Amino acid sequence: LADCRADPECDAAFPGLERELEAVLSGLATSRRLSELEHPRTGVLDRVDVTRAGFLGGLRMALYSNESSALIPLIIHSAYLGDHAPLAALGLQTGKQAKTLSLGLYLTVACAEQIASLDQAALATAEAGLRWFDGQMLRDLSTLCSQWRPAALPPDEGQPTHADAPTLLLSGSYDPVTPPSFAELVAGQLGDARHVIVDTAHHGVWWRGCAPHVLAEFFADPKPDSLDVACLANLPATRFFLSANGPRPIAEQAPNQ
């Protein structure tokens, strides 16, 4: 929201975005929306049940990548106008990617490493400091884990890992699941580590821009402190979508031929 306000084109296209988000979430808190939408690829009409938790879940998933996060202002504004098609399209894309993941493996690990040690009191304290998001995803995961057999962990699983091997840690400042603070914690436990935060990146930095070249240089000569990472500070931010046609104002878009 702050980035959109700071961007003249985004701010002009979506003024009052924060107010619109509040209105959307307030409306969904009292009554879910059953919308009839066209499938973005097939054009077949489908009915989508939109809830407050589902809407926030869609925004959270959008934060995983630079490209999908560029759609967030458009998603919010469209929902405010009663059109949930952009959110549904993003959900379909996320669902397509989810088919490449093993839910069983995820539950086997997550139930053992995350849920088994989840402190409900700490979760409630963390939620108290949040404006819109909450711990619903963790609660849903807890429900699934109550019916799943987790992996058996060794006794020292929760102990810090100490190593002196040269280590390069890359973080995206917008990462919604492994934020830079996690890498800072790990770096403090390692003897020869360097942590680089890319201000314009989200979840996954290694393949963006010059990052593959930085990694190649590091593996060729693993000296974290002398590694030149200046190019990572210049990775451009993805421009916001101002309409379904992309990041350019409508007046600048070429007419149909």
Side-chain angles (χ1 to χ4, degrees), residues 123-152:
L123 175 60
T125 300
E127 284 184 302
L130 300 176
R131 183 172 180 182
W132 294 304
F133 293 92
D134 55 28
Q136 186 60 45
M137 191 187 75
L138 284 174
R139 293 191 178 86
D140 291 343
L141 183 58
S142 296
T143 301
L144 290 173
C145 289
S146 67
Q147 305 174 56
W148 193 265
R149 180 180 297 175

Side-chain angles (χ1 to χ4, degrees), residues 56-240:
L56 285 173
L59 295 186
R60 180 180 178 276
M61 293 307 299
L63 287 170
Y64 270 72
S65 80
N66 294 44
E67 290 74 22
S68 57
S69 67
L71 295 167
I72 289 179
L74 178 62
I75 289 173
I76 295 172
H77 182 65
S78 298
Y80 177 73
L81 298 178
D83 178 13
H84 290 282
L87 176 70
L90 180 63
L92 288 169
Q93 177 65 20
T94 302
K96 181 180 178 181
Q97 295 173 342
K99 292 180 180 179
T100 65
L101 305 176
S102 171
L103 179 60
L105 177 59
Y106 169 73
L107 290 176
T108 299
V109 176
C111 294
E113 295 185 354
Q114 292 179 281
I115 299 304
S117 60
L118 181 63
D119 186 332
Q120 294 293 338
L123 175 60
T125 300
E127 284 184 302
L130 300 176
R131 183 172 180 182
W132 294 304
F133 293 92
D134 55 28
Q136 186 60 45
M137 191 187 75
L138 284 174
R139 293 191 178 86
D140 291 343
L141 183 58
S142 296
T143 301
L144 290 173
C145 289
S146 67
Q147 305 174 56
W148 193 265
R149 180 180 297 175
L153 299 179
D156 62 349
E157 166 63 22
Q159 299 302 311
T161 297
H162 298 283
D164 292 322
T167 308
L168 176 64
L169 304 169
L170 301 177
S171 296
S173 61
Y174 291 100
D175 193 328
V177 63
T178 52
S181 58
F182 285 13
E184 285 293 326
L185 178 64
V186 172
Q189 301 167 1
L190 302 175
D192 187 16
R194 182 177 181 182
H195 180 209
V196 179
I197 301 174
V198 180
D199 290 335
T200 58
H202 293 246
H203 185 64
V205 177
W206 66 269
W207 57 276
R208 290 203 167 272
C210 65
H213 299 287
V214 172
L215 292 178
E217 291 178 7
F218 174 70
F219 285 123
D221 186 17
K223 298 177 181 177
D225 290 338
S226 61
L227 186 65
D228 184 1
V229 298
C231 66
L232 293 174
N234 298 318
L235 292 184
T238 305
R239 295 177 63 192
F240 288 111

